[in-house]
Amino acid sequence: MVPVWDRFVRVFHWGLVTLIAVCWLTADEIKSVHEAAGYLVAGLIAARLVWGLIGPRHARFADFVRSPRAVLDYLALLRVGREPRYLGHNPAGGAMIVALIATVAGTALTGWLQTTDMFWGSEMLEEVHELLATLILCLAGIHIAGVVFESLRHRENLVTAMIDGRKRASERPHN
């Protein structure tokens, strides 16, 4: 077993999961908790953006953000069962991280904007906020399905890896 996910990435991941659940559960009931959790989400996203530039190898965006062509090539190999195993995120996983971070950031931004004088009471902005929040759930569902699929496909528990930070070393992981 080799270390892959550093403590910050793991705390960020599970903290974000927890805070998004809190936001969903308090959206229409406990506005003060919803807003506080939203600000914490925004803080986590900002910290992750910095960590994606200065963190260790597998935390850096340069390690897992790939071109659309690379993502499509990986998905084509996946479809025929010939995709390589990655020690860090595979190209599809990297694309999901980018989509989730962008969607979560957009949700936090539209939530905060609704507290400003300019957008207070804006129904249009509220609808965008709710649409983005729903998109988070859709993306999270796809992310979970991908984690389960990859865990089964490569015979490794990716959930455990995101808890303890370690993955099985292999003879020749792709990265």
Side-chain angles (χ1 to χ4, degrees):
M1 299 297 283
V2 295
V4 177
W5 311 124
D6 66 276
R7 185 178 309 245
F8 177 85
V9 166
R10 297 185 330 258
V11 169
F12 165 80
H13 179 273
W14 296 113
L16 195 61
V17 168
T18 301
L19 288 169
I20 288 171
V22 168
C23 286
W24 264 96
L25 295 171
T26 61
D28 295 323
E29 303 300 322
I30 312 169
K31 283 291 188 194
S32 61
V33 173
H34 180 82
E35 289 178 11
Y39 284 119
L40 289 171
V41 163
L44 277 179
I45 292 293
R48 182 62 180 97
L49 292 175
V50 171
W51 200 244
L53 299 174
I54 67 169
R57 177 182 175 195
H58 295 296
R60 291 183 184 222
F61 298 125
D63 187 63
F64 62 84
V65 176
R66 303 283 182 248
S67 69
R69 171 54 43 206
V71 173
L72 292 173
D73 289 348
Y74 176 82
L75 292 172
L77 289 171
L78 181 71
R79 194 176 68 242
V80 296
R82 293 189 10 230
E83 79 287 356
R85 175 182 175 261
Y86 283 75
L87 192 54
H89 287 99
N90 65 50
M96 179 56 74
I97 290 169
V98 171
L100 280 165
I101 287 175
T103 304
V104 172
T107 307
L109 177 64
T110 56
W112 170 74
L113 284 173
Q114 290 177 76
T115 69
T116 65
D117 290 341
M118 180 179 251
F119 294 103
W120 182 264
S122 168
E123 288 183 32
M124 186 269 307
L125 197 59
E126 184 176 349
E127 288 179 22
V128 170
H129 181 72
E130 290 176 4
L131 177 69
L132 288 170
T134 301
L135 182 56
I136 291 170
L137 290 186
C138 295
L139 291 172
I142 295 166
H143 171 61
I144 291 166
V147 166
V148 169
F149 179 82
E150 287 287 314
S151 291
L152 295 171
R153 177 85 175 102
H154 295 287
R155 295 180 179 91
E156 62 185 338
N157 188 331
L158 294 178
V159 175
T160 299
M162 193 50 75
I163 293 170
D164 68 15
R166 299 162 55 83
K167 288 179 75 175
R168 180 185 81 247
S170 70
E171 315 74 52
R172 308 182 105 204
H174 194 270
N175 75 341

